[in-house]
Amino acid sequence: MFTLRDRRTGELFDRWSDLGDKRRRRLEQSWAGVFRDHLLIELPVDDLCRHLDERLGRPSKDLHIVIGVLLLQQLHDLSDAATVEALAFNMAWHYALDVRSEADSYFCEKTLRNYRRLFIEQGLDGLLFRHLTDRLVRAFSVDTSRQRMDSTALRSAMRALTRLGIVVETISKFARELERHHPDLYAQISGGVIRRYVDREGHGAFANTSPSVSKRRLGEAGQDLLALAEQFRDTAAAKLSAFAILERVLRDQFEVVDVVPEARLQRDESGDRDAKHAAIRDPKDVPCDTVGNPSDPDASYNAHKGQGYMAQIVETYCEDDGGNDGGGECDEEVAETPDLITHVAVHKMTVHDGHRLPDALDDLRARSLTPAVMLGDSHYGSRDNMALTRDRNIDLVAPARPPKGAVSGRLTLEDFVLDDEGLVLHCPNSVKPVSVSAAKAKLQARFDLTICRTCPHIDRCPVQAAKREGQFARFQYTPARAANQKRRLYERSEEFREIYRWRAGIEATMSRLKYQMNLAHLRIRGMPAMRYVVHLRALGLNIRRCAAIGP
């Protein structure tokens, strides 16, 4: 049975009149005042009510306070015990949540965990972020015509393991879960496996493995992994989540091959009749989304960012220096409206940033927050994204990716001078081509080979000698490449730099999310929990920014 109190009807007597003017004013201008005045009555209690019975069961806590406590816990990065204490004794929490009775000011930790589990399972965190952020946008008259987008890497509470460590922890996790759910099947595991992976004691235990022998031990651990998968694949243990992780690690880290006849004969003579062998995969053949730690199988790997999760952030910005040095956030002491985070998405490390822009624009359009200008780094500036934003009348300001060869010092098309149709006028050495031609799929310029051979840039030049025309050198490129040349030249202009300089401000937002909202030190694991925490802490940062602006 759910409980809802009337939050729209005011009280006959002001419960906070004894605070005095200064303390009352300080409370109203803090995050507590923003939450009470703009968000408390807007909390999506109806969406939570759908998962509770209207008449049966014990009466729940007031759902406004339930949702508010979950949000404030993430806003202040508190443990469950500290959250219960804050709800019981913190005056700012009482003011923000409009606590009116003794029953509203107390939660036990189990109640808090149960509601948080329900929130995560039903995905209500994303709904809460969108609904309350839209409310803040309207309440503070935030201009959403200019927005910027970037991503940041997040790491859950897990250790970095070696390949051997991954296999050892996977077998150990499976054995412990099997003992808990199916003790009869656990008794069928050989004593050697229990000693090596669960007890981790005695000779041969993998806990005592030195780096010099880890590669040999990895093969032995892989064979144990294969044996367990074969032994329990057709039993009730196959339905355990730990068994799914076990098979995934076996598939990613090893290649199961049939034993050759000679080796199979030797195994038969020794009493080992396994017909399959777990061969170690080469590190470059291991997929990036493999299990890096069985305690968090949802995490993935990125060669640039490392192991963990990727969060996409979109926020508004104002083109007012506000007394700062330019290119950063607007100074909240003088800005009229806050910069608010309007979109949050958490996904695997293996997904490219550019592929997340369409989803972000769809979300903003569904909430009537479509920007006129969107700033982003070069990862978002692909041709497909440029075409998409052009069709939606959005000006996507993002630099193109560096041309191939530029990093190594070779000349590129950007060093050539082109006309309006994309044809070469002259090369970097001011040599005009003998002839130019244009086709639907390719553009071409031909140069005198005798001149090219005397050029000081011949070792870096993309122009190559024609195989069939000995006296000419050819330079071929596509129309899309010519269009990118114009785009890259525009990016060197002062006009582009003046517009694009405002993108740098989102780096300050990422820093505040990680170190003020403490996303850099998370105590959770798994994709659902990660989404829950990131959504609510981004919303918490929005509340803090609105409080900094003032009423």
Side-chain angles (χ1 to χ4, degrees):
M1 181 185 300
F2 59 80
T3 302
L4 289 176
R5 305 193 191 281
D6 183 11
R7 300 287 172 180
R8 297 182 181 274
T9 302
E11 294 182 287
L12 183 61
F13 300 101
D14 187 2
R15 299 175 56 246
W16 304 96
S17 58
D18 59 336
L19 287 180
D21 293 341
K22 291 183 179 180
R23 295 172 66 196
R24 179 68 176 270
R25 189 181 312 112
R26 188 176 182 86
L27 198 59
E28 291 174 346
Q29 294 177 355
S30 68
W31 62 265
V34 172
F35 187 90
R36 180 187 177 104
D37 296 341
H38 301 289
L39 303 181
L40 183 59
I41 62 174
E42 299 291 336
L43 295 175
V45 293
D46 293 339
D47 296 279
L48 186 57
C49 287
R50 298 192 185 103
H51 307 287
L52 302 174
D53 194 279
E54 185 176 357
R55 294 178 299 172
L56 301 179
R58 182 180 177 181
S60 70
K61 295 289 186 179
D62 179 16
L63 296 186
H64 287 91
I65 293 186
V66 168
I67 300 176
V69 166
L70 294 176
L71 174 55
L72 296 186
Q73 180 185 25
Q74 299 303 323
L75 188 150
H76 296 285
D77 185 29
L78 300 180
S79 64
D80 289 350
T83 301
V84 171
E85 183 177 348
L87 177 61
F89 303 111
N90 194 308
M91 181 186 299
W93 281 51
H94 290 180
Y95 181 82
L97 298 171
D98 192 20
V99 173
R100 301 182 182 182
S101 65
E102 183 70 17
D104 291 340
S105 61
Y106 176 75
F107 269 24
C108 72
E109 293 184 35
K110 183 178 180 181
T111 300
L112 184 63
R113 289 194 297 268
N114 288 340
Y115 280 116
R116 182 170 61 237
R117 185 182 303 112
L118 177 62
F119 237 70
I120 293 175
E121 289 175 352
Q122 302 301 325
L124 299 178
D125 49 282
L127 174 67
L128 180 64
F129 169 81
R130 291 189 293 270
H131 185 73
L132 296 191
T133 296
D134 294 350
R135 169 59 183 160
L136 291 176
V137 168
R138 296 192 301 270
F140 288 84
S141 302
V142 176
D143 181 13
T144 60
S145 63
R146 294 184 294 269
Q147 300 189 45
R148 52 196 176 196
M149 184 172 185
D150 201 5
S151 64
T152 187
L154 302 175
R155 187 177 180 85
S156 59
M158 63 176 181
R159 282 191 302 144
L161 299 176
T162 62
R163 297 180 69 180
L164 178 60
I166 294 171
V167 177
V168 170
E169 291 297 334
T170 299
I171 296 178
S172 176
K173 180 182 179 68
F174 170 69
R176 286 183 275 109
E177 188 170 332
L178 186 65
E179 181 183 22
R180 188 165 56 251
H181 295 281
H182 303 287
D184 54 329
L185 295 177
Y186 176 78
Q188 300 177 16
I189 301 179
S190 68
V193 171
I194 298 298
R195 177 174 54 81
R196 290 195 298 272
Y197 299 99
V198 181
D199 299 335
R200 303 188 187 184
E201 297 177 351
H203 178 70
F206 287 98
N208 300 325
T209 301
S210 62
S212 60
V213 297
S214 61
K215 187 174 183 180
R216 176 174 60 82
R217 287 294 183 92
L218 179 59
E220 298 173 10
Q223 204 59 37
D224 291 335
L225 194 71
L226 175 60
L228 289 173
E230 294 289 339
Q231 180 180 358
F232 295 103
R233 184 166 290 144
D234 298 326
T235 66
K239 297 181 180 179
L240 298 177
S241 60
F243 185 81
I245 297 175
L246 184 144
E247 288 212 308
R248 182 178 166 192
V249 171
L250 176 63
R251 181 177 62 252
D252 293 344
Q253 300 287 349
F254 303 92
E255 182 179 2
V256 179
V257 296
D258 291 332
V259 178
V260 295
E262 294 79 3
R264 185 178 304 171
L265 180 60
Q266 294 177 2
R267 289 188 174 215
D268 291 342
E269 293 174 351
S270 63
D272 187 358
R273 298 182 177 275
D274 290 341
K276 294 182 179 179
H277 173 68
I280 303 174
R281 289 187 183 274
D282 192 271
K284 62 182 178 58
D285 296 328
V286 178
C288 291
D289 60 348
T290 188
V291 176
N293 189 318
S295 63
D296 191 357
D298 293 337
S300 54
Y301 176 78
N302 181 298
H304 177 58
K305 301 281 188 175
Q307 195 174 30
Y309 299 85
M310 191 74 74
Q312 299 289 336
I313 304 295
V314 180
E315 70 167 357
T316 63
Y317 71 95
C318 56
E319 292 186 352
D320 181 8
D321 288 327
N324 63 9
D325 58 357
E329 287 185 303
C330 294
D331 190 342
E332 292 177 348
E333 298 293 335
V334 298
E336 296 181 357
T337 59
D339 296 338
L340 296 185
I341 298 173
T342 54
H343 173 79
V344 173
V346 181
H347 57 88
K348 286 183 173 293
M349 285 280 198
T350 53
V351 180
H352 192 273
D353 287 348
H355 298 158
R356 305 302 302 184
L357 179 62
D359 295 337
L361 295 179
D362 290 341
D363 177 46
L364 295 175
R365 181 169 61 178
R367 296 157 53 201
S368 301
L369 300 179
T370 301
V373 178
M374 175 68 82
L375 305 183
D377 59 27
S378 59
H379 292 158
Y380 303 97
S382 65
R383 283 182 293 172
D384 293 339
N385 285 343
M386 298 297 288
L388 173 66
T389 53
R390 193 181 307 113
D391 293 340
R392 298 189 182 187
N393 296 320
I394 300 174
D395 184 13
L396 176 59
V397 183
R401 298 288 291 173
K404 293 182 179 180
V407 178
S408 60
R410 295 186 61 82
L411 298 177
T412 63
L413 185 60
E414 282 65 32
D415 299 304
F416 289 73
V417 178
L418 309 184
D419 61 13
D420 294 338
E421 297 180 356
L423 299 175
V424 174
L425 293 178
H426 61 79
C427 73
N429 202 31
S430 300
V431 176
K432 295 182 179 181
V434 176
S435 65
V436 294
S437 59
K440 185 176 182 179
K442 189 173 294 185
L443 304 175
Q444 177 178 274
R446 296 197 305 169
F447 292 87
D448 190 336
L449 185 57
T450 57
I451 300 178
C452 289
R453 286 173 176 168
T454 61
C455 179
H457 306 298
I458 187 171
D459 294 334
R460 303 189 299 130
C461 187
V463 178
Q464 298 179 354
K467 294 182 180 180
R468 297 182 180 179
E469 302 173 350
Q471 68 273 29
F472 296 107
R474 294 189 303 174
F475 181 32
Q476 296 180 336
Y477 51 95
T478 62
R481 186 75 178 79
N484 277 342
Q485 193 254 18
K486 294 181 180 179
R487 178 181 169 188
R488 292 190 177 101
L489 292 179
Y490 170 69
E491 291 167 6
R492 300 175 184 175
S493 65
E494 288 298 326
E495 179 184 0
F496 176 84
R497 293 178 180 177
E498 176 62 26
I499 299 174
Y500 190 67
R501 73 186 182 100
W502 299 103
R503 193 213 70 85
I506 200 170
E507 302 296 344
T509 299
M510 298 302 184
S511 179
R512 294 188 67 175
L513 281 172
K514 285 192 171 183
Y515 301 107
Q516 182 182 8
M517 306 307 296
N518 214 20
L519 284 180
H521 305 92
L522 294 174
R523 301 186 295 271
I524 48 90
R525 298 171 185 154
M527 181 68 78
M530 182 67 72
R531 286 173 175 161
Y532 169 83
V533 169
V534 174
H535 274 121
L536 267 58
R537 295 198 185 183
L539 178 57
L541 181 57
N542 284 344
I543 294 174
R544 290 184 180 275
R545 285 180 165 180
C546 290
I549 294 298

